[in-house]
Amino acid sequence: MFKINENYLKLPGSYLFSTIAKKVNEFQAANPEKSVIRLGIGDVTQPLAPVIIDALHGAVDEMGKAETFHGYAPDLGYEFLRTAIAKNDYADRGCDIAADEIFVSDGAKCDSGNIQEIFSVDNKIAVCDPVYPVYVDTNVMAGRTGTYDSKTEMWSDVIYMPCTAENNFAPELPKETPDMIYLCFPNNPTGATITKDQLQVWVDYANKVGAVIIYDAAYEAYISEPDVPHTIFECEGARTCAIELKSFSKNAGFTGTRLGYTVIPKDLKCGDVMLHSLWARRHGTKYNGAPYIQQRAGEAVYSPEGKEQLAKQVAYYMNNAKVIKEGLQEAGYTVSGGVNAPYIWLKTPGTMTSWEFFDYLLANANVVGTPGSGFGPSGEGYFRLTAFGTYENTVAALERIKKM
């Protein structure tokens, strides 16, 4: 008889945002007259920029003609997009990343989950706490995390790096030596950032202990402060210890269009084996490439018009973040984030748990957020709101919250 991967049975409950969706649907079914404002999931609301729409239309037209039709994409992605990424995201920032070290995909979420496949199950992972759930859950599925303690909400073989108000929501070097280190800055969910000097400490540490850093830079477009790095490859030595995940979802509104990429330098090795080669083998075997149409749209992101139009979209969302942060502060909440990231991290009032506040906010303000405990044990007592809603809904949500 066939057998299943029993690691899946270790996962507690359902995926965080699936649980939230279920609770919201139940509330709306019971209260059809209520208008619910969703500031929970990090999904954008502004339409694709005009230059991207033009690129999409142009690519669709090409697909309708035999002489310009495109079938399977190259394994790493089309050269026109990888070259644009290498120049604009790396060379223009003084970083040495070649086009053939960039792997185009259908999004950073998939890559962040799939990247663990090229590592041995014996590796020990270290994660920030709280953390984007995909990092931990996919390692659970692989059998790398040990057993789950429902009381502490922690896995026995995971190294947790608490990110609390006491350390400005930035992790400290772990006491136990990890093999794989997941870092995300600007951070999801806390909105925290670290300086280039702070990130250099992590790069030096990883090179010293022989660890690999999996660096999620999905929100780098929202950085406004000068000393916050946009890529880990701004740090000396990162080419020998880091993999970077990037997304077009948040900077260009591609949450539904789907496009991202992963950077694996050829200098990153385990003994004599290049991780670049392993990921290339995995990519070529399990993936047929992001569609040509989406990749042409991605190329448009780097055009002068694209940069100008997308900067306005980023400013729109960051204005929402300012409205949320200032509104919550006026209402007496303790808040952080919202400066270099589109997320606001707030302390729940009194002794309320994260899920109690979720229910309270939904029932009394008809506003949806994300319970901090869903991101890890150190997220208990905190709550995340996203700035990706419309401006009108953002203002309305804050007015409702102030009246509670």
Side-chain angles (χ1 to χ4, degrees), residues 314-379:
V314 168
Y316 177 94
Y317 292 128
M318 289 311 294
N319 183 58
N320 286 351
K322 181 180 179 182
V323 168
I324 296 171
K325 186 170 187 177
E326 292 180 352
L328 290 173
Q329 288 173 332
E330 290 174 10
Y333 289 90
T334 300
V335 297
S336 59
V339 176
N340 296 292
Y343 294 122
I344 290 80
W345 191 241
L346 64 115
K347 188 79 178 68
T348 58
T351 59
M352 225 181 253
T353 68
S354 299
W355 279 106
E356 286 172 347
F357 186 67
F358 174 90
D359 292 334
Y360 178 75
L361 193 65
L362 182 58
N364 292 278
N366 309 145
V367 172
V368 179
T370 309
S373 61
F375 298 102
S378 290

Short mmCIF file of all heavy atoms in Angstrom, two decimals, residues 314-379:
data_model
loop_
_atom_site.label_atom_id
_atom_site.label_comp_id
_atom_site.label_asym_id
_atom_site.label_seq_id
_atom_site.Cartn_x
_atom_site.Cartn_y
_atom_site.Cartn_z
N VAL A 314 4.48 52.93 -4.70
CA VAL A 314 5.12 52.69 -3.41
C VAL A 314 4.80 53.83 -2.45
O VAL A 314 4.48 53.61 -1.27
CB VAL A 314 6.65 52.52 -3.58
CG1 VAL A 314 7.36 52.56 -2.23
CG2 VAL A 314 6.96 51.21 -4.30
N ALA A 315 4.87 55.07 -2.95
CA ALA A 315 4.56 56.23 -2.11
C ALA A 315 3.11 56.20 -1.65
O ALA A 315 2.80 56.59 -0.51
CB ALA A 315 4.84 57.52 -2.89
N TYR A 316 2.22 55.72 -2.50
CA TYR A 316 0.80 55.60 -2.15
C TYR A 316 0.63 54.67 -0.95
O TYR A 316 -0.04 55.00 0.04
CB TYR A 316 0.04 55.07 -3.36
CG TYR A 316 -1.44 54.81 -3.14
CD1 TYR A 316 -2.40 55.78 -3.46
CD2 TYR A 316 -1.91 53.60 -2.64
CE1 TYR A 316 -3.76 55.55 -3.28
CE2 TYR A 316 -3.26 53.36 -2.46
CZ TYR A 316 -4.18 54.34 -2.78
OH TYR A 316 -5.53 54.10 -2.60
N TYR A 317 1.27 53.50 -1.02
CA TYR A 317 1.14 52.54 0.07
C TYR A 317 1.84 53.03 1.35
O TYR A 317 1.34 52.82 2.46
CB TYR A 317 1.70 51.18 -0.35
CG TYR A 317 0.89 50.49 -1.41
CD1 TYR A 317 1.49 50.02 -2.59
CD2 TYR A 317 -0.48 50.30 -1.27
CE1 TYR A 317 0.75 49.38 -3.57
CE2 TYR A 317 -1.23 49.66 -2.25
CZ TYR A 317 -0.61 49.21 -3.40
OH TYR A 317 -1.35 48.57 -4.37
N MET A 318 2.96 53.70 1.18
CA MET A 318 3.66 54.19 2.37
C MET A 318 2.92 55.36 3.01
O MET A 318 3.04 55.59 4.22
CB MET A 318 5.09 54.58 2.01
CG MET A 318 5.98 53.38 1.71
SD MET A 318 5.88 52.05 2.95
CE MET A 318 6.58 52.87 4.38
N ASN A 319 2.13 56.09 2.23
CA ASN A 319 1.26 57.10 2.83
C ASN A 319 0.17 56.41 3.67
O ASN A 319 -0.18 56.90 4.75
CB ASN A 319 0.63 57.97 1.75
CG ASN A 319 -0.23 59.08 2.32
OD1 ASN A 319 0.23 59.91 3.10
ND2 ASN A 319 -1.51 59.10 1.97
N ASN A 320 -0.33 55.28 3.16
CA ASN A 320 -1.27 54.49 3.96
C ASN A 320 -0.63 54.04 5.26
O ASN A 320 -1.26 54.07 6.33
CB ASN A 320 -1.72 53.25 3.18
CG ASN A 320 -2.70 53.56 2.06
OD1 ASN A 320 -3.20 54.68 1.95
ND2 ASN A 320 -2.98 52.57 1.24
N ALA A 321 0.62 53.62 5.18
CA ALA A 321 1.33 53.18 6.38
C ALA A 321 1.43 54.31 7.40
O ALA A 321 1.26 54.09 8.61
CB ALA A 321 2.72 52.68 6.00
N LYS A 322 1.70 55.51 6.91
CA LYS A 322 1.78 56.67 7.79
C LYS A 322 0.43 56.95 8.44
O LYS A 322 0.36 57.23 9.66
CB LYS A 322 2.23 57.90 6.98
CG LYS A 322 2.36 59.17 7.81
CD LYS A 322 2.80 60.33 6.93
CE LYS A 322 2.91 61.61 7.75
NZ LYS A 322 3.30 62.78 6.90
N VAL A 323 -0.65 56.84 7.67
CA VAL A 323 -2.00 57.06 8.20
C VAL A 323 -2.29 56.05 9.31
O VAL A 323 -2.81 56.40 10.38
CB VAL A 323 -3.05 56.93 7.07
CG1 VAL A 323 -4.46 56.86 7.65
CG2 VAL A 323 -2.93 58.11 6.11
N ILE A 324 -1.95 54.78 9.06
CA ILE A 324 -2.21 53.74 10.05
C ILE A 324 -1.38 53.97 11.31
O ILE A 324 -1.90 53.93 12.43
CB ILE A 324 -1.90 52.34 9.47
CG1 ILE A 324 -2.85 52.04 8.31
CG2 ILE A 324 -2.03 51.26 10.55
CD1 ILE A 324 -2.48 50.76 7.54
N LYS A 325 -0.10 54.20 11.13
CA LYS A 325 0.79 54.35 12.28
C LYS A 325 0.40 55.54 13.14
O LYS A 325 0.28 55.43 14.38
CB LYS A 325 2.24 54.49 11.81
CG LYS A 325 3.26 54.49 12.95
CD LYS A 325 4.67 54.38 12.41
CE LYS A 325 5.67 54.20 13.56
NZ LYS A 325 7.05 54.01 13.05
N GLU A 326 0.19 56.68 12.50
CA GLU A 326 -0.16 57.89 13.26
C GLU A 326 -1.53 57.76 13.89
O GLU A 326 -1.76 58.21 15.02
CB GLU A 326 -0.08 59.11 12.35
CG GLU A 326 1.34 59.45 11.92
CD GLU A 326 1.41 60.68 11.02
OE1 GLU A 326 0.32 61.18 10.61
OE2 GLU A 326 2.54 61.13 10.72
N GLY A 327 -2.48 57.13 13.17
CA GLY A 327 -3.81 56.95 13.71
C GLY A 327 -3.81 56.05 14.93
O GLY A 327 -4.51 56.31 15.92
N LEU A 328 -3.04 54.97 14.87
CA LEU A 328 -2.94 54.06 16.02
C LEU A 328 -2.27 54.73 17.21
O LEU A 328 -2.68 54.54 18.36
CB LEU A 328 -2.17 52.80 15.62
CG LEU A 328 -2.88 51.85 14.66
CD1 LEU A 328 -1.92 50.73 14.22
CD2 LEU A 328 -4.13 51.22 15.30
N GLN A 329 -1.25 55.51 16.93
CA GLN A 329 -0.58 56.23 18.01
C GLN A 329 -1.52 57.22 18.69
O GLN A 329 -1.54 57.34 19.92
CB GLN A 329 0.67 56.94 17.48
CG GLN A 329 1.80 56.00 17.13
CD GLN A 329 2.97 56.67 16.44
OE1 GLN A 329 2.80 57.70 15.76
NE2 GLN A 329 4.16 56.12 16.59
N GLU A 330 -2.32 57.90 17.89
CA GLU A 330 -3.32 58.83 18.45
C GLU A 330 -4.34 58.10 19.31
O GLU A 330 -4.85 58.64 20.29
CB GLU A 330 -4.03 59.57 17.31
CG GLU A 330 -3.17 60.58 16.58
CD GLU A 330 -3.89 61.16 15.37
OE1 GLU A 330 -5.11 60.91 15.24
OE2 GLU A 330 -3.23 61.84 14.55
N ALA A 331 -4.62 56.84 18.92
CA ALA A 331 -5.59 56.04 19.68
C ALA A 331 -4.97 55.38 20.90
O ALA A 331 -5.66 54.66 21.63
CB ALA A 331 -6.20 54.99 18.76
N GLY A 332 -3.68 55.60 21.12
CA GLY A 332 -3.03 55.09 22.32
C GLY A 332 -2.32 53.75 22.17
O GLY A 332 -1.88 53.17 23.16
N TYR A 333 -2.17 53.27 20.94
CA TYR A 333 -1.50 51.98 20.73
C TYR A 333 0.01 52.17 20.66
O TYR A 333 0.51 53.23 20.25
CB TYR A 333 -1.98 51.33 19.44
CG TYR A 333 -3.40 50.81 19.49
CD1 TYR A 333 -4.48 51.63 19.12
CD2 TYR A 333 -3.67 49.52 19.89
CE1 TYR A 333 -5.78 51.16 19.17
CE2 TYR A 333 -4.98 49.03 19.93
CZ TYR A 333 -6.03 49.87 19.57
OH TYR A 333 -7.32 49.40 19.61
N THR A 334 0.74 51.14 21.04
CA THR A 334 2.19 51.10 20.87
C THR A 334 2.48 50.45 19.53
O THR A 334 2.10 49.29 19.30
CB THR A 334 2.85 50.29 22.00
OG1 THR A 334 2.54 50.90 23.25
CG2 THR A 334 4.36 50.23 21.83
N VAL A 335 3.13 51.17 18.62
CA VAL A 335 3.31 50.68 17.25
C VAL A 335 4.75 50.84 16.78
O VAL A 335 5.50 51.68 17.27
CB VAL A 335 2.37 51.42 16.26
CG1 VAL A 335 0.92 51.15 16.59
CG2 VAL A 335 2.64 52.91 16.28
N SER A 336 5.12 50.02 15.81
CA SER A 336 6.41 50.13 15.14
C SER A 336 6.22 49.75 13.69
O SER A 336 5.13 49.38 13.26
CB SER A 336 7.45 49.23 15.81
OG SER A 336 7.02 47.88 15.79
N GLY A 337 7.31 49.82 12.91
CA GLY A 337 7.21 49.54 11.47
C GLY A 337 6.63 50.72 10.73
O GLY A 337 6.54 51.83 11.25
N GLY A 338 6.26 50.51 9.47
CA GLY A 338 5.60 51.54 8.69
C GLY A 338 6.50 52.65 8.18
O GLY A 338 6.00 53.65 7.67
N VAL A 339 7.82 52.49 8.27
CA VAL A 339 8.75 53.51 7.78
C VAL A 339 9.48 53.01 6.53
O VAL A 339 9.51 53.69 5.50
CB VAL A 339 9.77 53.91 8.87
CG1 VAL A 339 10.78 54.91 8.30
CG2 VAL A 339 9.07 54.50 10.08
N ASN A 340 10.07 51.84 6.62
CA ASN A 340 10.75 51.23 5.48
C ASN A 340 10.01 50.01 4.96
O ASN A 340 10.55 49.24 4.16
CB ASN A 340 12.17 50.82 5.88
CG ASN A 340 13.03 52.00 6.26
OD1 ASN A 340 13.38 52.83 5.43
ND2 ASN A 340 13.38 52.08 7.54
N ALA A 341 8.80 49.80 5.44
CA ALA A 341 8.01 48.63 5.06
C ALA A 341 6.54 48.96 5.15
O ALA A 341 6.13 49.81 5.95
CB ALA A 341 8.35 47.46 5.98
N PRO A 342 5.71 48.27 4.36
CA PRO A 342 4.27 48.55 4.34
C PRO A 342 3.50 47.82 5.44
O PRO A 342 2.31 47.58 5.30
CB PRO A 342 3.86 48.07 2.95
CG PRO A 342 4.79 46.94 2.67
CD PRO A 342 6.10 47.30 3.32
N TYR A 343 4.19 47.43 6.52
CA TYR A 343 3.54 46.73 7.62
C TYR A 343 3.68 47.52 8.91
O TYR A 343 4.73 48.10 9.20
CB TYR A 343 4.14 45.34 7.82
CG TYR A 343 3.88 44.41 6.66
CD1 TYR A 343 4.94 43.82 5.96
CD2 TYR A 343 2.59 44.12 6.24
CE1 TYR A 343 4.71 42.97 4.90
CE2 TYR A 343 2.34 43.28 5.17
CZ TYR A 343 3.41 42.71 4.51
OH TYR A 343 3.16 41.88 3.44
N ILE A 344 2.59 47.52 9.68
CA ILE A 344 2.57 48.17 10.98
C ILE A 344 2.38 47.07 12.02
O ILE A 344 1.49 46.24 11.90
CB ILE A 344 1.45 49.23 11.09
CG1 ILE A 344 1.79 50.44 10.22
CG2 ILE A 344 1.27 49.68 12.53
CD1 ILE A 344 1.50 50.28 8.77
N TRP A 345 3.24 47.08 13.02
CA TRP A 345 3.28 46.05 14.06
C TRP A 345 2.85 46.71 15.36
O TRP A 345 3.51 47.62 15.85
CB TRP A 345 4.70 45.51 14.15
CG TRP A 345 4.94 44.29 14.97
CD1 TRP A 345 5.75 44.20 16.06
CD2 TRP A 345 4.46 42.95 14.74
NE1 TRP A 345 5.79 42.91 16.53
CE2 TRP A 345 5.01 42.12 15.73
CE3 TRP A 345 3.61 42.40 13.79
CZ2 TRP A 345 4.74 40.75 15.81
CZ3 TRP A 345 3.34 41.05 13.85
CH2 TRP A 345 3.89 40.24 14.85
N LEU A 346 1.71 46.30 15.91
CA LEU A 346 1.19 46.97 17.09
C LEU A 346 1.03 46.02 18.26
O LEU A 346 0.79 44.83 18.08
CB LEU A 346 -0.15 47.64 16.78
CG LEU A 346 -1.32 46.73 16.40
CD1 LEU A 346 -2.40 46.82 17.48
CD2 LEU A 346 -1.91 47.10 15.06
N LYS A 347 1.18 46.57 19.44
CA LYS A 347 0.99 45.80 20.67
C LYS A 347 -0.50 45.72 20.95
O LYS A 347 -1.21 46.71 20.89
CB LYS A 347 1.70 46.50 21.84
CG LYS A 347 1.73 45.69 23.13
CD LYS A 347 2.81 44.65 23.09
CE LYS A 347 2.86 43.86 24.40
NZ LYS A 347 1.70 43.00 24.65
N THR A 348 -0.97 44.50 21.23
CA THR A 348 -2.39 44.36 21.54
C THR A 348 -2.69 45.02 22.88
O THR A 348 -1.84 45.02 23.78
CB THR A 348 -2.81 42.88 21.58
OG1 THR A 348 -2.01 42.20 22.55
CG2 THR A 348 -2.64 42.23 20.22
N PRO A 349 -3.86 45.60 23.06
CA PRO A 349 -4.17 46.31 24.30
C PRO A 349 -4.31 45.38 25.51
O PRO A 349 -4.83 44.27 25.39
CB PRO A 349 -5.50 47.00 23.99
CG PRO A 349 -6.10 46.23 22.87
CD PRO A 349 -4.96 45.68 22.08
N GLY A 350 -3.80 45.86 26.64
CA GLY A 350 -3.96 45.12 27.89
C GLY A 350 -3.34 43.74 27.83
O GLY A 350 -2.21 43.56 27.37
N THR A 351 -4.10 42.76 28.28
CA THR A 351 -3.63 41.37 28.28
C THR A 351 -4.23 40.55 27.15
O THR A 351 -4.17 39.33 27.15
CB THR A 351 -3.98 40.70 29.63
OG1 THR A 351 -5.41 40.74 29.81
CG2 THR A 351 -3.30 41.43 30.79
N MET A 352 -4.81 41.22 26.18
CA MET A 352 -5.45 40.55 25.07
C MET A 352 -4.45 39.75 24.24
O MET A 352 -3.38 40.25 23.90
CB MET A 352 -6.13 41.60 24.17
CG MET A 352 -7.55 41.25 23.73
SD MET A 352 -8.25 42.53 22.67
CE MET A 352 -9.41 43.25 23.83
N THR A 353 -4.80 38.50 23.91
CA THR A 353 -3.94 37.73 23.02
C THR A 353 -4.13 38.21 21.59
O THR A 353 -5.07 38.96 21.27
CB THR A 353 -4.27 36.23 23.09
OG1 THR A 353 -5.57 36.01 22.51
CG2 THR A 353 -4.24 35.71 24.52
N SER A 354 -3.26 37.74 20.71
CA SER A 354 -3.33 38.15 19.31
C SER A 354 -4.66 37.75 18.67
O SER A 354 -5.28 38.54 17.95
CB SER A 354 -2.17 37.52 18.52
OG SER A 354 -0.94 37.94 19.02
N TRP A 355 -5.09 36.51 18.92
CA TRP A 355 -6.35 36.06 18.32
C TRP A 355 -7.56 36.69 19.00
O TRP A 355 -8.59 36.93 18.33
CB TRP A 355 -6.45 34.53 18.37
CG TRP A 355 -5.68 33.87 17.27
CD1 TRP A 355 -4.51 33.19 17.37
CD2 TRP A 355 -6.02 33.84 15.88
NE1 TRP A 355 -4.09 32.75 16.13
CE2 TRP A 355 -5.00 33.12 15.19
CE3 TRP A 355 -7.09 34.35 15.12
CZ2 TRP A 355 -5.03 32.91 13.81
CZ3 TRP A 355 -7.11 34.13 13.75
CH2 TRP A 355 -6.09 33.43 13.11
N GLU A 356 -7.46 37.00 20.27
CA GLU A 356 -8.56 37.72 20.95
C GLU A 356 -8.72 39.10 20.34
O GLU A 356 -9.85 39.57 20.12
CB GLU A 356 -8.28 37.82 22.44
CG GLU A 356 -8.50 36.51 23.21
CD GLU A 356 -8.04 36.58 24.65
OE1 GLU A 356 -7.33 37.55 25.02
OE2 GLU A 356 -8.37 35.67 25.42
N PHE A 357 -7.60 39.75 20.05
CA PHE A 357 -7.68 41.07 19.43
C PHE A 357 -8.20 40.97 17.99
O PHE A 357 -8.94 41.84 17.53
CB PHE A 357 -6.31 41.76 19.44
CG PHE A 357 -6.35 43.18 18.95
CD1 PHE A 357 -7.00 44.17 19.69
CD2 PHE A 357 -5.74 43.55 17.76
CE1 PHE A 357 -7.05 45.49 19.23
CE2 PHE A 357 -5.78 44.85 17.30
CZ PHE A 357 -6.44 45.82 18.04
N PHE A 358 -7.83 39.91 17.29
CA PHE A 358 -8.36 39.68 15.95
C PHE A 358 -9.89 39.64 15.99
O PHE A 358 -10.56 40.31 15.21
CB PHE A 358 -7.81 38.37 15.38
CG PHE A 358 -8.41 37.97 14.06
CD1 PHE A 358 -7.83 38.39 12.88
CD2 PHE A 358 -9.57 37.19 13.99
CE1 PHE A 358 -8.38 38.03 11.65
CE2 PHE A 358 -10.12 36.84 12.77
CZ PHE A 358 -9.53 37.26 11.59
N ASP A 359 -10.42 38.82 16.91
CA ASP A 359 -11.88 38.70 17.03
C ASP A 359 -12.52 40.01 17.46
O ASP A 359 -13.59 40.39 16.96
CB ASP A 359 -12.22 37.59 18.03
CG ASP A 359 -11.84 36.21 17.53
OD1 ASP A 359 -11.79 36.01 16.30
OD2 ASP A 359 -11.57 35.32 18.36
N TYR A 360 -11.87 40.71 18.38
CA TYR A 360 -12.39 41.98 18.90
C TYR A 360 -12.44 43.03 17.79
O TYR A 360 -13.44 43.74 17.63
CB TYR A 360 -11.49 42.45 20.04
CG TYR A 360 -11.86 43.78 20.65
CD1 TYR A 360 -12.96 43.89 21.51
CD2 TYR A 360 -11.11 44.92 20.38
CE1 TYR A 360 -13.30 45.12 22.08
CE2 TYR A 360 -11.44 46.14 20.93
CZ TYR A 360 -12.54 46.24 21.78
OH TYR A 360 -12.88 47.46 22.34
N LEU A 361 -11.37 43.10 17.01
CA LEU A 361 -11.29 44.09 15.92
C LEU A 361 -12.32 43.77 14.84
O LEU A 361 -12.98 44.68 14.32
CB LEU A 361 -9.88 44.08 15.34
CG LEU A 361 -9.49 45.23 14.40
CD1 LEU A 361 -9.48 46.55 15.15
CD2 LEU A 361 -8.11 44.96 13.78
N LEU A 362 -12.46 42.50 14.52
CA LEU A 362 -13.41 42.10 13.49
C LEU A 362 -14.85 42.39 13.94
O LEU A 362 -15.66 42.92 13.16
CB LEU A 362 -13.25 40.61 13.17
CG LEU A 362 -14.15 40.03 12.07
CD1 LEU A 362 -13.97 40.77 10.75
CD2 LEU A 362 -13.87 38.53 11.89
N ALA A 363 -15.16 42.08 15.18
CA ALA A 363 -16.52 42.24 15.68
C ALA A 363 -16.90 43.70 15.89
O ALA A 363 -18.03 44.10 15.60
CB ALA A 363 -16.69 41.46 16.98
N ASN A 364 -15.95 44.50 16.37
CA ASN A 364 -16.29 45.87 16.76
C ASN A 364 -15.95 46.94 15.72
O ASN A 364 -16.59 47.99 15.70
CB ASN A 364 -15.58 46.21 18.07
CG ASN A 364 -16.12 45.42 19.24
OD1 ASN A 364 -17.13 45.75 19.83
ND2 ASN A 364 -15.42 44.33 19.59
N ALA A 365 -14.95 46.67 14.89
CA ALA A 365 -14.59 47.64 13.85
C ALA A 365 -14.78 47.07 12.46
O ALA A 365 -14.68 47.80 11.48
CB ALA A 365 -13.15 48.09 14.04
N ASN A 366 -15.07 45.77 12.37
CA ASN A 366 -15.19 45.08 11.08
C ASN A 366 -13.93 45.28 10.23
O ASN A 366 -14.00 45.46 9.02
CB ASN A 366 -16.42 45.56 10.32
CG ASN A 366 -17.70 45.53 11.16
OD1 ASN A 366 -18.57 46.39 11.01
ND2 ASN A 366 -17.84 44.56 12.06
N VAL A 367 -12.80 45.21 10.91
CA VAL A 367 -11.49 45.34 10.26
C VAL A 367 -10.71 44.04 10.47
O VAL A 367 -10.70 43.48 11.57
CB VAL A 367 -10.70 46.53 10.83
CG1 VAL A 367 -9.27 46.55 10.29
CG2 VAL A 367 -11.40 47.85 10.49
N VAL A 368 -10.06 43.57 9.41
CA VAL A 368 -9.28 42.35 9.46
C VAL A 368 -7.79 42.67 9.50
O VAL A 368 -7.29 43.46 8.70
CB VAL A 368 -9.57 41.46 8.24
CG1 VAL A 368 -8.72 40.18 8.29
CG2 VAL A 368 -11.04 41.11 8.15
N GLY A 369 -7.10 42.06 10.45
CA GLY A 369 -5.64 42.15 10.53
C GLY A 369 -5.08 40.75 10.67
O GLY A 369 -5.79 39.77 10.45
N THR A 370 -3.82 40.65 11.07
CA THR A 370 -3.19 39.34 11.23
C THR A 370 -2.64 39.18 12.65
O THR A 370 -1.83 40.01 13.08
CB THR A 370 -2.04 39.16 10.23
OG1 THR A 370 -2.51 39.47 8.91
CG2 THR A 370 -1.53 37.74 10.25
N PRO A 371 -3.06 38.14 13.36
CA PRO A 371 -2.56 37.92 14.72
C PRO A 371 -1.06 37.63 14.72
O PRO A 371 -0.57 36.81 13.94
CB PRO A 371 -3.34 36.68 15.19
CG PRO A 371 -4.52 36.60 14.28
CD PRO A 371 -4.06 37.14 12.97
N GLY A 372 -0.34 38.31 15.59
CA GLY A 372 1.11 38.14 15.65
C GLY A 372 1.54 36.74 15.99
O GLY A 372 2.59 36.27 15.52
N SER A 373 0.76 36.03 16.78
CA SER A 373 1.14 34.67 17.18
C SER A 373 1.17 33.73 15.99
O SER A 373 1.82 32.67 16.05
CB SER A 373 0.18 34.14 18.24
OG SER A 373 -1.15 34.08 17.73
N GLY A 374 0.50 34.08 14.91
CA GLY A 374 0.53 33.26 13.71
C GLY A 374 1.89 33.24 13.05
O GLY A 374 2.17 32.39 12.20
N PHE A 375 2.76 34.19 13.44
CA PHE A 375 4.10 34.27 12.88
C PHE A 375 5.15 33.64 13.79
O PHE A 375 6.34 33.65 13.47
CB PHE A 375 4.48 35.73 12.62
CG PHE A 375 3.60 36.42 11.61
CD1 PHE A 375 2.60 37.30 12.02
CD2 PHE A 375 3.76 36.21 10.26
CE1 PHE A 375 1.79 37.96 11.10
CE2 PHE A 375 2.96 36.85 9.32
CZ PHE A 375 1.97 37.73 9.75
N GLY A 376 4.71 33.14 14.96
CA GLY A 376 5.66 32.53 15.89
C GLY A 376 5.39 32.95 17.31
O GLY A 376 4.68 33.94 17.57
N PRO A 377 5.95 32.24 18.29
CA PRO A 377 5.65 32.50 19.69
C PRO A 377 5.98 33.92 20.16
O PRO A 377 5.27 34.48 21.00
CB PRO A 377 6.49 31.46 20.45
CG PRO A 377 7.45 30.90 19.45
CD PRO A 377 6.81 31.05 18.12
N SER A 378 7.03 34.53 19.62
CA SER A 378 7.37 35.90 20.03
C SER A 378 6.42 36.94 19.45
O SER A 378 6.48 38.11 19.81
CB SER A 378 8.81 36.25 19.63
OG SER A 378 9.74 35.52 20.41
N GLY A 379 5.54 36.48 18.55
CA GLY A 379 4.53 37.39 18.00
C GLY A 379 3.29 37.49 18.86
O GLY A 379 2.42 38.33 18.60
#
